Amino acid sequence: MKIFSKNTFKILTIVIFSLLLLNACENSSSKENVDKNFTAKQITITYVKAPLNTPSIIEKEKAIFQKHFDKYNIKLSYSQLTTGPEQTQALASKDIQFLYAVGSTSVILAKANGLDIKIVNKYSKSSKTFTILSQKGTQFKTADDIKGKKIAGPKGTILHELLLAYLNSLGLKENDVEFISMGIPQAQAALAGKSVDMALLAGPSAYSLIQDGYNVVTTADGLIEPLIVVATTKEFYDENKILVDEFINAQKEILDYIDKNYEESMNIVAEETNLDINAVKQMYPLYDFNISINNDDIRSLEKTKQFMLDNKMIDTDIKIEDLFIKY
């Protein structure tokens, strides 16, 4: 029994072929429309694993950002610049597109200096992991104890802000001590080598020296509210909104992966930082890696900005609201 005539079969074949061709054209058109929504051909992201930047370490190990950018044929690379001033300068020169973990101090400084930098979201928040350490057996507590001491650490960063806040609490200024600007690893080595009296340290670098008996002069707790953020520029966002959205989606996937694969993640971090797994598990809860910006974070940024103005770290006032992308 015939179900279709030859003519009917031909008509159905033509209809099906036409529908497939139309679908292919729509997909091609959609792809072209997506392509027109961004200008970037490659993206460079900062890779900063200190103090204990678990999301960065897991992301790089699992190549999560690359997976998200593959659909746009975007090549991803990492920058090893770790200090705030270096990062914001590279962002301004367009050598870097995303600062994936930069201190709010550096962001405010860059904005005050004219860079149209924008905070995408939060990276982390922690007050007990930023510290000032002194030599073993020392007990620096008073202004007289601190005056004239050599203190090493990264200038223009949250740790620098911590130093100024601590000195202010004792009625001192930065010129009352000998501040030597250097990175965290160098400051750690300088303290261990006894070429400085104190060092501004965070995360594993501080943890290892504390375990070895070095004195904790103070932590950031009660002095400042360290806020680490993710940043880009307004120009990059305006030209590549779809890529910024994809970056945020990737961030969420990173945190979800850590949550669902806790033991594996802790082991990856321990191997990358050369720390004992138990040390990583002790430090990890000290960090809040929630990427959402809340009212407390806004107040923290306001306080940091005012502190920087009061201590002449910036000369130009800025509006904190101007630091954020208007979605």
Side-chain angles (χ1 to χ4, degrees), residues 304-321:
T304 296
K305 180 202 73 170
Q306 191 57 52
F307 183 86
M308 294 175 74
L309 282 168
D310 293 343
N311 285 274
K312 309 300 181 185
M313 293 176 73
I314 56 175
D315 298 320
T316 305
D317 196 358
I318 66 168
K319 292 182 179 179
I320 292 301
E321 64 187 46

Side-chain angles (χ1 to χ4, degrees), residues 25 59 65 107 118 130 159 161 173 226 229 280 302 312:
C25 289
E59 185 286 317
F65 282 140
V107 172
K118 294 294 183 182
F130 290 85
L159 281 167
E161 182 188 356
K173 299 294 183 183
V229 300
V280 172
E302 291 283 2
K312 309 300 181 185

Side-chain angles (χ1 to χ4, degrees), residues 146 148-149 151 155-156 160-161 163-164 167-168 171-181 311-313:
I146 304 296
K149 295 297 187 292
I151 305 175
K155 184 179 178 64
H160 189 196
E161 182 188 356
L163 172 62
L164 295 180
L167 292 175
N168 279 357
L172 299 175
K173 299 294 183 183
E174 186 175 322
N175 58 13
D176 289 317
V177 299
E178 186 180 344
F179 177 58
I180 306 168
S181 179
N311 285 274
K312 309 300 181 185
M313 293 176 73

Side-chain angles (χ1 to χ4, degrees), residues 60-278:
K60 192 174 184 185
E61 175 71 19
K62 299 299 177 180
I64 294 174
F65 282 140
Q66 185 62 72
K67 182 185 75 173
H68 278 260
F69 290 132
D70 274 346
K71 67 183 74 172
Y72 305 101
N73 294 319
I74 296 288
K75 183 181 179 182
L76 177 71
S77 60
Y78 297 93
S79 168
Q80 299 297 324
L81 297 178
T82 58
T83 68
E86 288 178 322
Q87 290 180 339
T88 54
Q89 183 177 353
L91 188 70
S93 64
K94 301 182 182 181
D95 293 329
I96 292 175
Q97 285 66 52
F98 288 100
L99 301 185
Y100 189 46
V102 60
S104 56
T105 308
S106 299
V107 172
I108 292 170
L109 180 62
K111 180 66 175 178
N113 287 335
L115 176 62
D116 200 356
I117 190 169
K118 294 294 183 182
I119 294 174
V120 176
N121 51 33
K122 184 167 62 183
Y123 183 94
S124 68
K125 195 170 186 178
S126 175
S127 61
K128 295 181 180 179
T129 61
F130 290 85
T131 63
I132 301 177
L133 300 186
S134 63
Q135 295 290 343
K136 297 178 183 179
T138 57
Q139 292 292 324
F140 295 157
K141 294 181 179 180
T142 68
D144 288 338
D145 293 335
I146 304 296
K147 270 186 179 180
K149 295 297 187 292
K150 290 183 179 180
I151 305 175
K155 184 179 178 64
T157 64
I158 285 174
L159 281 167
H160 189 196
E161 182 188 356
L162 170 58
L163 172 62
L164 295 180
Y166 178 65
L167 292 175
N168 279 357
S169 72
L170 297 175
L172 299 175
K173 299 294 183 183
E174 186 175 322
N175 58 13
D176 289 317
V177 299
E178 186 180 344
F179 177 58
I180 306 168
S181 179
M182 63 179 69
I184 289 177
Q186 293 78 16
Q188 180 184 13
L191 186 64
K194 298 184 178 180
S195 59
V196 298
D197 302 298
M198 303 161 69
L200 313 179
L201 303 172
S205 61
Y207 179 87
S208 60
L209 290 187
I210 292 170
Q211 297 301 305
D212 200 29
Y214 285 79
N215 177 56
V216 177
V217 178
T218 186
T219 68
D221 200 22
L223 287 173
I224 63 171
E225 299 172 357
L227 186 67
I228 308 297
V229 300
V230 177
T232 186
T233 61
K234 183 179 184 299
E235 180 183 356
F236 183 82
Y237 175 78
D238 288 344
E239 296 179 358
N240 301 277
K241 181 181 182 300
I242 192 170
L243 300 182
V244 176
D245 290 342
E246 198 65 48
F247 187 94
I248 295 170
N249 290 335
Q251 284 183 272
K252 294 175 182 176
E253 183 177 332
I254 295 163
L255 297 181
D256 185 58
Y257 186 91
I258 296 170
D259 185 53
K260 292 178 179 177
N261 302 274
Y262 174 77
E263 288 295 332
E264 180 196 2
S265 297
M266 295 302 101
N267 277 289
I268 291 172
V269 173
E271 183 176 351
E272 180 68 12
T273 57
N274 294 316
L275 285 169
D276 179 79
I277 183 65
N278 292 323

